[in-house]
Amino acid sequence: MALDTLEKALAEVGYGRWQIPVVVITVMVHMLAPVHLIGSTLLNAQPPFRCRAVSQVVNFTTSTTNFVLRPVENFVPNSTELEDFYNNECRAATSSSSTSSSSTYSTSSSTSSSTSSSSTYSTSSSTSSSTSPIPEWKSTGLASCPEILQDESTFSSTVSMEWQLVCERSWLRPFFQMAYSVGSMVGSTGGGHVSDRYGRKRAIQIACGFNLAAIVGMAFLPWYSGVLAARVLSGCSIGCMILPVFSLALETTPSRHRTLAGMLLGTSFSVAVVLFAGVGFFVRTWRCLLLAGSVPLLAVLPLAFLVPESPRWLSQQGRGHEAAVILGHAASRNRVQLSPALTSALRDLQEESQVKEKPQRSQATDMTWGERARAKIHQVTMYLRFPSLRRIIVATTGIWYLQGILYLGIILNANNFTSNDPYIYVAMSGAMDLMAILLATPLNMRMGRRFIVGGAMLVAGVLLLVDLAVPEEFWWIRWILVMTSLLLIAAAFQVNFMYVPELYPTVIRSRGFALASLAGSFGFLTAPFITDVLAQKTWWAVGATFGSAGILGSLLVPLLPETNNMPLPDTVEDVERRGKGIVAAKKGEASQEEQGREAEEMPAIGPAEEA
């Protein structure tokens, strides 16, 4: 009753002015995400550097072969000498400065030592010396790099530059990205629970407050440990914000518009990546870049209090009267007149919910903490008892874990797709994501979710295996294979972003989405181990692993039902009926009477148990 009424109401309301605040806040949240998700590429970059002992002076050459002694800090290297001067070498930790000046750590000892001994500044400074600020040697307190001079031609300031995360401190640098990943996993899990328990709107509001605190902390805290703590908080807030806002966007969209809206809303992230690279090109200090990239939060904060709550969530929580009021307001905003039959159905839904709401809330209030804990455990095990929901849980978590490995792993391992300019690299990554979404959107509308996700992962896996057989001299063929695989995985990723919320019922939609996102985060954590550790074992291990991951992910897709142009399920019973219908269509075994009898035996999962 409620499901049919809501679907019909949304269909009659259509897509118009009522959805504008939801669309805007979804776009703004996606535009806020890049500074946190991929921001470490520019915020935490480590530029080339050179170390020296505290009292060291360096030999410099003129245009002749004569050598002169000049202090380093009085000169700026010519562009032709930058590569030789900034050798990225940590010095041997000794007490003698003379010994220190003659011994270094180097990745290629013979070449680096000769380069180091001949690295020079020109005594006739180029024109850039008059326009560029003179770099200063900075004391680090490191035994292997007492003083450091860092190349400021690309970045004026980064996290790594500010705290000199080089040499024996270099192991601290990856923690900047790891802190966000840890926070994202916590935020996804907690955000899903808050969204399903207290509503999509409330979850977004809470996440906005946390994100504001995280941005202020990272922008003004003078300690690296404090920045890392704020970074964890930013991961929590983004994870808690993206899932509810995307669920809200889908739940307020009529079925016939959901595919197009869900796909095109994802383009805002790709556009934001390109814009973030452009802003970074002009804003070279990491704290200012962080604040500039966080400007969309100024729009998200007020919108979080203006957007409507999801009518689906309200109805499922026994608050149908509020859902009916919101749908009536939606019809007024979109300038449509609801049919008399639908108006009567909404009135019945309102009256029915008012009768059910009080007993459910009183039952939840009377439960003790121990009873609530037992109810939560019982609830989890009860979800796993349903065959269709169990298949969805297993398949979605497996697919998201594998696509997380593939998406990040391909980027890390795509050696042909490199650039000396980090801003171009970030911009091209966003452009490729945008291209993938635009190509996948019409196919998704015509052929459905399963075809795109399964086909993209299968073809990407096969192409990565074929890449192993291509000789090194045919580098352009390998480039095409790897980049095509990246485009396919990016397309599958965006389709999955709208596919997973459609699979889970309203009562656990955000938590199901959070579970899949958590699996994807574990995939992101796994990918560097494959590209860095496994690659050292044998040359074909990485390609074989990624190719196998794509093929395995495609084999999990048939376990999921198609959801294109279909109504969203509100309860676990709706999911099971949909699954039984698919099984009956394939096997012709389940009769209508058997399906009805099984549906009656299913225990209802409502607001009382959610409490």
Side-chain angles (χ1 to χ4, degrees), residues 28 32 207-209 211-213 215 241 293-302:
M28 290 294 103
L32 176 65
C208 284
N211 191 253
L212 178 62
I215 292 170
M241 196 184 303
S294 303
V295 166
L297 185 62
L298 299 179
V300 175
L301 278 170

Side-chain angles (χ1 to χ4, degrees), residues 50-124:
R50 186 184 182 96
C51 296
R52 74 166 189 180
V54 177
S55 59
Q56 181 187 356
V57 293
V58 179
N59 285 324
F60 296 95
T61 62
T62 64
S63 57
T64 66
T65 58
N66 297 325
F67 286 86
V68 293
L69 259 178
R70 295 182 182 274
V72 174
E73 51 266 31
N74 292 339
F75 293 91
V76 179
N78 285 326
S79 59
T80 57
E81 298 171 332
L82 284 174
E83 185 176 354
D84 288 341
F85 181 80
Y86 293 112
N87 52 21
N88 298 327
E89 294 175 354
C90 300
R91 311 188 65 82
T94 61
S95 58
S96 172
S97 63
S98 61
T99 305
S100 176
S101 63
S102 62
S103 59
T104 60
Y105 295 135
S106 172
T107 54
S108 55
S109 56
S110 59
T111 305
S112 298
S113 60
S114 60
T115 302
S116 177
S117 62
S118 62
S119 59
T120 61
Y121 280 147
S122 172
T123 54
S124 57

Side-chain angles (χ1 to χ4, degrees), residues 356-367 608:
K356 291 182 178 181
E357 182 178 2
K358 290 183 179 179
Q360 288 173 343
R361 290 188 176 180
S362 61
Q363 179 182 354
T365 305
D366 293 339
M367 296 175 65

